[in-house]
Amino acid sequence: HKQDMLAGNLAFGEQRRLELIRAAASGAELLLLDEPAAGMNPLEKEELTSLIQRLRQRFSLTILLIEHHVPLVMGLCDRIAVLNFGERIALGTPQQVRQDPRVLEAYLGNGKRGVHFLGPLAKKVLRVSPPLTITGDELDEATERIAEAWGRI
């Protein structure tokens, strides 16, 4: 059983979960999590999200989360601050942030430039590898697909 294993012999995702459990059990009221999902596969990210939710409820924790994985952020956070090149461009509930024009412009583009660089969410939705630049009609179609995916998150 895993209870008899050394922490260093656990799989990467299991080590992360153990770290979170240890931190929560310490009696801290605030957990600072810096990209806890980094390097995790999709299943590990789902398990991580579930664990953070359970720990938050059981230990009445306040959690400050820095994370690039949008579904994890939207699924965990009551209040979200969005940064673009170090400047806060939005602050609010997941629903407010999802609809904020500054967030949409920063992550989807504003259609005014000739060539657009697509961010991580766009790349995931369009299933392409970085870097990707697109022009003209491609942008319109891509923006529609990304906006639909953003609305489902």
Side-chain angles (χ1 to χ4, degrees), residues 6-24:
L6 294 174
N9 293 335
L10 294 171
F12 177 72
E14 293 172 329
Q15 288 181 18
R16 282 278 173 85
R17 289 191 299 276
L18 178 60
E19 291 169 0
L20 284 172
I21 292 167
R22 288 180 60 207

Side-chain angles (χ1 to χ4, degrees), residues 39-57:
M40 291 186 165
N41 67 44
L43 178 60
E44 289 172 329
K45 289 177 184 177
E46 287 178 27
E47 292 171 350
L48 176 71
T49 300
S50 177
L51 175 63
I52 292 172
Q53 288 170 334
R54 290 192 318 268
L55 292 175
R56 181 177 164 200
Q57 287 180 332

